[in-house]
Amino acid sequence: MPTLLHIDSSVFSTEASASRAVTATFRKHWQEQHPDGTVVYRDLAADPVPHLSAEAHVAGFVPPSAHSPEQAAVFAERVKLIEELEQADAVLIGAPMYNYTIPSTLKAWLDNVILFGRTAGETPSAKGTPVTVVASRGGSYAPGTPREGYEYVQNYLTAVLADALGLDLDFIVPELTMAPQNPAMAELIPLYEASRDQAHAAAADKAKRLAERLAA
């Protein structure tokens, strides 16, 4: 049965997090299609992976036989994360925008799984694996908006997930999530609600279609 690698990185609970709420919808519909499937879940806020150290970085460029004990230990942790990615039939990532970019915990996970000569390079080991990213944001950074030039989440993740790792990337983008909390954005609440509803509908639809695609 298919395996879904589900990663959340929001610092908030599902009740308070737009990205977690939408990834939960995706996962729910995925599991309805694959009740006997496997979900490998990583909550990077509750259980962050180590930021890349010098030992872990250097260990990726030398043969295992040449690893020091310290390099062997930290590289083994990188390999666990890499194997989770390689063994997944699909990947789901919650990536809220914090200060114009992704959470540092998600960046740490990416730094660990990007390994040239294995997951990145001429023949990426997870190439073609479908990945759905829920890129929530407090405002709007869509093309044509005043803050379009500050959109560093989709641009960055496209470069890393699609270009470097060769994954089949798709985005769901709930916007204006700060509207209910920020009085200055009160007039945008209807647009926020529409974006939220569209995101949940897209998550349900994408999960079902992806399940059908993998079952074919």
Side-chain angles (χ1 to χ4, degrees), residues 76-120:
E77 294 304 310
R78 286 190 71 185
V79 170
K80 287 181 184 178
L81 300 174
I82 288 170
E83 289 179 343
E84 287 178 353
L85 174 64
E86 292 174 334
Q87 294 166 9
D89 295 289
V91 182
L92 171 65
I93 299 175
M97 177 186 280
Y98 292 161
N99 300 314
Y100 304 113
T101 189
I102 63 173
S104 63
T105 52
L106 180 55
K107 179 63 162 61
W109 179 82
L110 288 167
D111 286 341
N112 276 279
V113 300
I114 297 171
L115 181 59
F116 283 90
R118 182 165 176 174
T119 59

Short mmCIF file of all heavy atoms in Angstrom, two decimals, residues 76-120:
data_model
loop_
_atom_site.label_atom_id
_atom_site.label_comp_id
_atom_site.label_asym_id
_atom_site.label_seq_id
_atom_site.Cartn_x
_atom_site.Cartn_y
_atom_site.Cartn_z
N ALA A 76 24.14 9.17 9.96
CA ALA A 76 23.11 8.15 10.08
C ALA A 76 21.74 8.80 10.28
O ALA A 76 20.73 8.29 9.77
CB ALA A 76 23.42 7.22 11.25
N GLU A 77 21.69 9.90 11.00
CA GLU A 77 20.43 10.62 11.19
C GLU A 77 19.96 11.24 9.88
O GLU A 77 18.77 11.26 9.58
CB GLU A 77 20.59 11.68 12.27
CG GLU A 77 20.85 11.11 13.66
CD GLU A 77 19.77 10.13 14.09
OE1 GLU A 77 18.57 10.47 13.98
OE2 GLU A 77 20.12 9.01 14.52
N ARG A 78 20.90 11.76 9.09
CA ARG A 78 20.54 12.30 7.77
C ARG A 78 19.98 11.20 6.88
O ARG A 78 18.99 11.40 6.17
CB ARG A 78 21.76 12.93 7.08
CG ARG A 78 22.21 14.25 7.61
CD ARG A 78 23.26 14.87 6.71
NE ARG A 78 22.69 15.33 5.45
CZ ARG A 78 23.41 15.82 4.44
NH1 ARG A 78 24.74 15.90 4.55
NH2 ARG A 78 22.83 16.22 3.33
N VAL A 79 20.59 10.03 6.92
CA VAL A 79 20.16 8.92 6.07
C VAL A 79 18.74 8.50 6.43
O VAL A 79 17.94 8.16 5.54
CB VAL A 79 21.14 7.74 6.19
CG1 VAL A 79 20.57 6.49 5.51
CG2 VAL A 79 22.48 8.11 5.56
N LYS A 80 18.38 8.53 7.71
CA LYS A 80 17.00 8.19 8.10
C LYS A 80 16.01 9.11 7.41
O LYS A 80 14.98 8.67 6.87
CB LYS A 80 16.84 8.31 9.62
CG LYS A 80 17.50 7.22 10.42
CD LYS A 80 17.24 7.44 11.91
CE LYS A 80 17.97 6.41 12.75
NZ LYS A 80 17.75 6.66 14.21
N LEU A 81 16.30 10.40 7.42
CA LEU A 81 15.40 11.38 6.79
C LEU A 81 15.37 11.19 5.28
O LEU A 81 14.32 11.27 4.65
CB LEU A 81 15.86 12.80 7.13
CG LEU A 81 15.87 13.16 8.62
CD1 LEU A 81 16.49 14.55 8.82
CD2 LEU A 81 14.47 13.11 9.22
N ILE A 82 16.52 10.94 4.69
CA ILE A 82 16.61 10.73 3.25
C ILE A 82 15.82 9.49 2.85
O ILE A 82 15.07 9.50 1.85
CB ILE A 82 18.08 10.60 2.82
CG1 ILE A 82 18.77 11.97 2.90
CG2 ILE A 82 18.20 10.02 1.41
CD1 ILE A 82 20.28 11.91 2.74
N GLU A 83 15.94 8.43 3.61
CA GLU A 83 15.23 7.19 3.27
C GLU A 83 13.72 7.36 3.40
O GLU A 83 12.95 6.78 2.62
CB GLU A 83 15.72 6.04 4.15
CG GLU A 83 17.13 5.59 3.78
CD GLU A 83 17.64 4.47 4.68
OE1 GLU A 83 17.06 4.27 5.76
OE2 GLU A 83 18.64 3.82 4.29
N GLU A 84 13.27 8.16 4.36
CA GLU A 84 11.84 8.44 4.46
C GLU A 84 11.33 9.11 3.19
O GLU A 84 10.24 8.79 2.70
CB GLU A 84 11.55 9.33 5.67
CG GLU A 84 11.67 8.62 7.00
CD GLU A 84 11.42 9.52 8.19
OE1 GLU A 84 11.28 10.75 7.98
OE2 GLU A 84 11.39 9.02 9.32
N LEU A 85 12.12 10.04 2.66
CA LEU A 85 11.75 10.71 1.41
C LEU A 85 11.78 9.74 0.25
O LEU A 85 10.84 9.68 -0.56
CB LEU A 85 12.69 11.89 1.16
CG LEU A 85 12.53 12.60 -0.19
CD1 LEU A 85 11.14 13.25 -0.29
CD2 LEU A 85 13.63 13.64 -0.38
N GLU A 86 12.83 8.96 0.15
CA GLU A 86 12.98 8.03 -0.98
C GLU A 86 11.91 6.95 -0.99
O GLU A 86 11.50 6.49 -2.06
CB GLU A 86 14.37 7.39 -0.93
CG GLU A 86 15.51 8.36 -1.19
CD GLU A 86 16.87 7.73 -0.97
OE1 GLU A 86 16.97 6.76 -0.18
OE2 GLU A 86 17.84 8.20 -1.59
N GLN A 87 11.47 6.52 0.17
CA GLN A 87 10.51 5.42 0.26
C GLN A 87 9.06 5.88 0.20
O GLN A 87 8.15 5.05 0.13
CB GLN A 87 10.76 4.64 1.56
CG GLN A 87 12.10 3.93 1.58
CD GLN A 87 12.51 3.43 2.95
OE1 GLN A 87 11.71 3.46 3.90
NE2 GLN A 87 13.75 2.99 3.08
N ALA A 88 8.83 7.18 0.19
CA ALA A 88 7.47 7.71 0.14
C ALA A 88 6.92 7.65 -1.29
O ALA A 88 7.64 7.89 -2.26
CB ALA A 88 7.44 9.14 0.64
N ASP A 89 5.63 7.31 -1.38
CA ASP A 89 4.95 7.37 -2.68
C ASP A 89 4.41 8.78 -2.95
O ASP A 89 4.15 9.14 -4.09
CB ASP A 89 3.80 6.37 -2.69
CG ASP A 89 4.30 4.94 -2.59
OD1 ASP A 89 4.88 4.46 -3.59
OD2 ASP A 89 4.13 4.32 -1.54
N ALA A 90 4.22 9.54 -1.89
CA ALA A 90 3.77 10.93 -2.01
C ALA A 90 4.23 11.67 -0.76
O ALA A 90 4.43 11.08 0.30
CB ALA A 90 2.25 11.01 -2.14
N VAL A 91 4.39 12.99 -0.91
CA VAL A 91 4.86 13.83 0.20
C VAL A 91 3.89 14.99 0.38
O VAL A 91 3.41 15.58 -0.60
CB VAL A 91 6.29 14.37 -0.08
CG1 VAL A 91 6.79 15.21 1.10
CG2 VAL A 91 7.26 13.22 -0.37
N LEU A 92 3.61 15.32 1.63
CA LEU A 92 2.73 16.43 1.99
C LEU A 92 3.48 17.31 2.97
O LEU A 92 3.96 16.83 4.00
CB LEU A 92 1.44 15.88 2.64
CG LEU A 92 0.49 16.89 3.27
CD1 LEU A 92 -0.11 17.82 2.21
CD2 LEU A 92 -0.62 16.15 4.02
N ILE A 93 3.59 18.62 2.66
CA ILE A 93 4.36 19.53 3.51
C ILE A 93 3.53 20.75 3.85
O ILE A 93 3.00 21.42 2.96
CB ILE A 93 5.66 19.98 2.79
CG1 ILE A 93 6.55 18.77 2.48
CG2 ILE A 93 6.41 20.99 3.66
CD1 ILE A 93 7.79 19.13 1.68
N GLY A 94 3.44 21.06 5.13
CA GLY A 94 2.86 22.32 5.58
C GLY A 94 3.96 23.34 5.75
O GLY A 94 4.88 23.15 6.55
N ALA A 95 3.88 24.42 4.96
CA ALA A 95 4.97 25.41 4.93
C ALA A 95 4.41 26.82 5.08
O ALA A 95 4.26 27.56 4.10
CB ALA A 95 5.76 25.29 3.63
N PRO A 96 4.08 27.24 6.30
CA PRO A 96 3.59 28.61 6.49
C PRO A 96 4.70 29.62 6.23
O PRO A 96 5.88 29.31 6.37
CB PRO A 96 3.18 28.62 7.97
CG PRO A 96 4.05 27.60 8.61
CD PRO A 96 4.21 26.51 7.58
N MET A 97 4.30 30.81 5.84
CA MET A 97 5.27 31.89 5.64
C MET A 97 5.53 32.60 6.96
O MET A 97 4.61 33.13 7.59
CB MET A 97 4.75 32.91 4.61
CG MET A 97 5.69 34.11 4.42
SD MET A 97 5.02 35.39 3.35
CE MET A 97 5.33 34.69 1.74
N TYR A 98 6.79 32.58 7.39
CA TYR A 98 7.22 33.33 8.57
C TYR A 98 8.28 34.34 8.12
O TYR A 98 9.33 33.95 7.61
CB TYR A 98 7.82 32.41 9.63
CG TYR A 98 6.83 31.47 10.30
CD1 TYR A 98 7.28 30.36 10.97
CD2 TYR A 98 5.47 31.72 10.26
CE1 TYR A 98 6.38 29.49 11.60
CE2 TYR A 98 4.56 30.86 10.87
CZ TYR A 98 5.03 29.75 11.54
OH TYR A 98 4.14 28.90 12.14
N ASN A 99 7.97 35.62 8.30
CA ASN A 99 8.94 36.66 7.93
C ASN A 99 9.43 36.50 6.49
O ASN A 99 10.61 36.54 6.20
CB ASN A 99 10.12 36.67 8.91
CG ASN A 99 9.68 36.93 10.33
OD1 ASN A 99 8.88 37.84 10.58
ND2 ASN A 99 10.18 36.15 11.28
N TYR A 100 8.46 36.25 5.62
CA TYR A 100 8.65 36.18 4.17
C TYR A 100 9.23 34.86 3.66
O TYR A 100 9.39 34.68 2.45
CB TYR A 100 9.52 37.33 3.64
CG TYR A 100 8.99 38.69 3.99
CD1 TYR A 100 9.68 39.51 4.87
CD2 TYR A 100 7.76 39.14 3.49
CE1 TYR A 100 9.19 40.76 5.21
CE2 TYR A 100 7.27 40.39 3.84
CZ TYR A 100 7.97 41.19 4.70
OH TYR A 100 7.48 42.41 5.05
N THR A 101 9.53 33.91 4.56
CA THR A 101 10.10 32.66 4.07
C THR A 101 9.59 31.49 4.90
O THR A 101 8.66 31.64 5.67
CB THR A 101 11.64 32.73 4.07
OG1 THR A 101 12.18 31.58 3.40
CG2 THR A 101 12.20 32.81 5.48
N ILE A 102 10.19 30.31 4.73
CA ILE A 102 9.72 29.12 5.42
C ILE A 102 10.25 29.08 6.84
O ILE A 102 11.25 29.73 7.16
CB ILE A 102 10.14 27.84 4.66
CG1 ILE A 102 11.67 27.72 4.60
CG2 ILE A 102 9.53 27.81 3.27
CD1 ILE A 102 12.17 26.42 4.03
N PRO A 103 9.62 28.29 7.73
CA PRO A 103 10.16 28.14 9.09
C PRO A 103 11.56 27.54 9.06
O PRO A 103 11.89 26.71 8.21
CB PRO A 103 9.16 27.17 9.75
CG PRO A 103 7.90 27.33 8.96
CD PRO A 103 8.33 27.59 7.56
N SER A 104 12.39 27.92 10.02
CA SER A 104 13.76 27.42 10.07
C SER A 104 13.79 25.90 10.26
O SER A 104 14.72 25.23 9.81
CB SER A 104 14.54 28.10 11.19
OG SER A 104 13.98 27.79 12.46
N THR A 105 12.76 25.36 10.92
CA THR A 105 12.72 23.90 11.13
C THR A 105 12.55 23.15 9.81
O THR A 105 13.12 22.08 9.62
CB THR A 105 11.58 23.53 12.08
OG1 THR A 105 10.36 24.14 11.60
CG2 THR A 105 11.85 24.01 13.49
N LEU A 106 11.78 23.73 8.90
CA LEU A 106 11.61 23.11 7.58
C LEU A 106 12.89 23.24 6.77
O LEU A 106 13.29 22.32 6.05
CB LEU A 106 10.43 23.73 6.84
CG LEU A 106 10.12 23.18 5.45
CD1 LEU A 106 9.92 21.67 5.48
CD2 LEU A 106 8.89 23.87 4.86
N LYS A 107 13.56 24.39 6.89
CA LYS A 107 14.85 24.57 6.21
C LYS A 107 15.85 23.54 6.72
O LYS A 107 16.65 22.99 5.93
CB LYS A 107 15.37 25.99 6.46
CG LYS A 107 16.73 26.30 5.82
CD LYS A 107 16.69 26.20 4.32
CE LYS A 107 17.88 26.92 3.66
NZ LYS A 107 19.20 26.36 4.06
N ALA A 108 15.84 23.26 8.02
CA ALA A 108 16.76 22.26 8.58
C ALA A 108 16.48 20.89 7.98
O ALA A 108 17.42 20.14 7.66
CB ALA A 108 16.64 22.22 10.10
N TRP A 109 15.19 20.53 7.85
CA TRP A 109 14.86 19.24 7.24
C TRP A 109 15.36 19.18 5.80
O TRP A 109 15.97 18.18 5.38
CB TRP A 109 13.34 19.01 7.29
CG TRP A 109 12.91 17.72 6.66
CD1 TRP A 109 12.92 16.48 7.24
CD2 TRP A 109 12.41 17.53 5.32
NE1 TRP A 109 12.46 15.53 6.35
CE2 TRP A 109 12.13 16.15 5.17
CE3 TRP A 109 12.15 18.40 4.27
CZ2 TRP A 109 11.63 15.63 3.98
CZ3 TRP A 109 11.65 17.87 3.07
CH2 TRP A 109 11.39 16.50 2.94
N LEU A 110 15.15 20.24 5.05
CA LEU A 110 15.60 20.27 3.66
C LEU A 110 17.12 20.15 3.58
O LEU A 110 17.66 19.43 2.74
CB LEU A 110 15.14 21.56 2.99
CG LEU A 110 13.64 21.65 2.69
CD1 LEU A 110 13.26 23.08 2.33
CD2 LEU A 110 13.25 20.69 1.56
N ASP A 111 17.84 20.87 4.45
CA ASP A 111 19.30 20.80 4.43
C ASP A 111 19.79 19.38 4.70
O ASP A 111 20.83 18.97 4.18
CB ASP A 111 19.89 21.75 5.48
CG ASP A 111 19.79 23.21 5.07
OD1 ASP A 111 19.61 23.47 3.87
OD2 ASP A 111 19.88 24.08 5.95
N ASN A 112 19.04 18.64 5.51
CA ASN A 112 19.44 17.26 5.80
C ASN A 112 19.16 16.32 4.64
O ASN A 112 19.93 15.39 4.38
CB ASN A 112 18.73 16.77 7.06
CG ASN A 112 19.43 17.16 8.34
OD1 ASN A 112 20.39 16.51 8.75
ND2 ASN A 112 18.98 18.23 8.98
N VAL A 113 18.04 16.51 3.94
CA VAL A 113 17.68 15.55 2.89
C VAL A 113 18.30 15.88 1.54
O VAL A 113 18.34 15.01 0.66
CB VAL A 113 16.15 15.41 2.73
CG1 VAL A 113 15.52 14.94 4.04
CG2 VAL A 113 15.51 16.70 2.24
N ILE A 114 18.77 17.10 1.35
CA ILE A 114 19.43 17.44 0.09
C ILE A 114 20.87 16.91 0.14
O ILE A 114 21.70 17.40 0.90
CB ILE A 114 19.44 18.95 -0.17
CG1 ILE A 114 18.01 19.47 -0.31
CG2 ILE A 114 20.24 19.28 -1.42
CD1 ILE A 114 17.91 20.98 -0.34
N LEU A 115 21.14 15.90 -0.64
CA LEU A 115 22.48 15.30 -0.66
C LEU A 115 22.88 15.08 -2.12
O LEU A 115 22.34 14.22 -2.82
CB LEU A 115 22.47 13.96 0.07
CG LEU A 115 23.81 13.22 0.14
CD1 LEU A 115 24.87 14.07 0.84
CD2 LEU A 115 23.66 11.88 0.85
N PHE A 116 23.82 15.89 -2.59
CA PHE A 116 24.27 15.79 -3.99
C PHE A 116 24.94 14.44 -4.22
O PHE A 116 25.72 13.96 -3.41
CB PHE A 116 25.21 16.94 -4.33
CG PHE A 116 24.47 18.23 -4.56
CD1 PHE A 116 24.22 19.10 -3.50
CD2 PHE A 116 23.98 18.55 -5.81
CE1 PHE A 116 23.52 20.28 -3.70
CE2 PHE A 116 23.26 19.72 -6.02
CZ PHE A 116 23.03 20.58 -4.96
N GLY A 117 24.56 13.86 -5.34
CA GLY A 117 25.01 12.52 -5.64
C GLY A 117 24.02 11.45 -5.22
O GLY A 117 24.17 10.28 -5.56
N ARG A 118 22.98 11.88 -4.48
CA ARG A 118 21.94 10.93 -4.08
C ARG A 118 20.55 11.53 -4.32
O ARG A 118 19.91 11.20 -5.31
CB ARG A 118 22.11 10.51 -2.62
CG ARG A 118 21.07 9.47 -2.16
CD ARG A 118 21.45 8.82 -0.87
NE ARG A 118 20.42 7.90 -0.40
CZ ARG A 118 20.53 7.10 0.65
NH1 ARG A 118 21.65 7.11 1.36
NH2 ARG A 118 19.54 6.29 0.99
N THR A 119 20.09 12.41 -3.46
CA THR A 119 18.76 13.00 -3.67
C THR A 119 18.81 14.17 -4.64
O THR A 119 17.77 14.59 -5.16
CB THR A 119 18.16 13.49 -2.34
OG1 THR A 119 19.04 14.46 -1.75
CG2 THR A 119 17.96 12.33 -1.37
N ALA A 120 19.98 14.75 -4.85
CA ALA A 120 20.14 15.87 -5.78
C ALA A 120 21.30 15.56 -6.71
O ALA A 120 22.17 14.75 -6.41
CB ALA A 120 20.39 17.17 -5.01
#
